[in-house]
Amino acid sequence: RVEWGSFLLADAERRLLANALLDFSNERFILLSESCIPVYNFPTVYKYLIGSTYSFVESYDDPTRYGRGRYNRKMLPHIKLYQWRKGSQWFEMQRSVATYIVSDTKYYNLFKKYCKPACYPDEHYIPTYLNMFHGSLNANRTITWVDWSMGGPHPAKYEGVNVTKGFIQSIRNNGTLCSYNDELTSVCYLFARKFAPSALEPLLNLSSTVMNF
């Protein structure tokens, strides 16, 4: 069982990674939710991820109370404030990074003990840990698009009526430029959220025209 905002989410992430690592043919690991959808077809997503030198984990310094304000000084001297990071829990990572995270006990236990509401481990543990030790393996961005323009603690949620060819194309071509293997690209998001169950049928109807299935 997991609960929003609890350490159980970070624990579940590590358990999922540990089980996926048991299959030695798995090279890339993606965390998605039931409200995530792909915005490209599988061959495109596969080629993008397998060809990437880096993992895609968002990790940034947020100076506000929603970032640094969640830091607990009891984590000193092991984690200092300047090392503290925040990011989306919807990650994608290569095998070596997944192995590092599953192998960690020291920082995992620090977060378990001291990162409690209003500190949310799923937004801070992996971003902070990678920033401290394995930043060179990380593209430092997410590949899951989300709309925070409405404000508040949760992003915009889209129903079936919102799902059109134009909308999917607008997620793909949203004017964002990002780094892919140290070169600029306009293909930054492979998945999107947050979509309601009513979006399923319209998405399936777009499978041939948009997704090229």
Side-chain angles (χ1 to χ4, degrees):
R1 292 179 60 85
V2 294
E3 297 175 7
W4 183 83
S6 75
F7 194 79
L8 294 170
L9 287 173
D11 187 50
E13 290 174 357
R14 282 169 42 106
R15 288 169 181 258
L16 287 167
L17 287 173
N19 277 276
L21 282 165
L22 294 175
D23 185 339
F24 290 98
S25 66
N26 289 335
E27 296 182 32
R28 309 290 299 203
F29 304 81
I30 312 171
L31 183 67
L32 301 170
S33 77
E34 78 287 350
S35 66
C36 294
I37 67 164
V39 293
Y40 290 96
N41 60 28
F42 181 79
T44 302
V45 171
Y46 184 86
K47 182 179 179 181
Y48 192 98
L49 297 180
I50 292 296
S52 175
T53 305
Y54 302 101
S55 296
F56 297 96
V57 180
E58 191 175 46
S59 176
Y60 61 93
D61 180 17
D62 180 356
T64 73
R65 64 188 179 97
Y66 301 109
R68 291 188 191 178
R70 297 174 177 175
Y71 171 75
N72 189 332
R73 292 183 62 84
K74 291 181 179 179
M75 293 183 173
L76 286 170
H78 309 291
I79 302 174
K80 300 175 175 63
L81 179 60
Y82 77 87
Q83 297 170 315
W84 186 256
R85 292 295 184 271
K86 180 181 180 180
S88 167
Q89 74 177 113
W90 311 110
F91 59 70
E92 190 284 334
M93 59 185 63
Q94 63 215 74
R95 189 175 186 91
S96 59
V97 171
T99 303
Y100 290 137
I101 291 169
V102 170
S103 302
D104 169 53
T105 55
K106 178 178 178 178
Y107 296 91
Y108 171 79
N109 285 322
L110 274 173
F111 271 83
K112 187 174 184 178
K113 188 173 183 180
Y114 297 119
C115 183
K116 298 179 180 180
C119 176
Y120 303 106
D122 55 297
E123 295 182 3
H124 295 283
Y125 167 58
I126 293 178
T128 298
Y129 178 74
L130 289 188
N131 172 63
M132 292 177 66
F133 300 108
H134 307 292
S136 63
L137 301 177
N138 188 23
N140 197 19
R141 65 179 177 89
T142 180
I143 53 171
T144 301
W145 178 90
V146 63
D147 180 4
W148 288 101
S149 64
M150 305 293 289
H154 301 289
K157 187 175 184 178
Y158 295 98
E159 303 285 343
V161 295
N162 303 118
V163 177
T164 63
K165 179 179 179 180
F167 182 55
I168 301 300
Q169 295 286 13
S170 72
I171 295 174
R172 293 179 179 177
N173 307 307
N174 57 44
T176 301
L177 289 177
C178 57
S179 176
Y180 178 79
N181 289 345
D182 301 317
E183 295 184 0
L184 285 180
T185 179
S186 60
V187 181
C188 300
Y189 300 107
L190 305 181
F191 304 94
R193 62 186 295 266
K194 209 173 182 182
F195 289 82
S198 61
L200 177 59
E201 186 172 347
L203 285 166
L204 290 174
N205 290 337
L206 293 175
S207 60
S208 60
T209 57
V210 179
M211 305 300 283
N212 298 320
F213 288 157

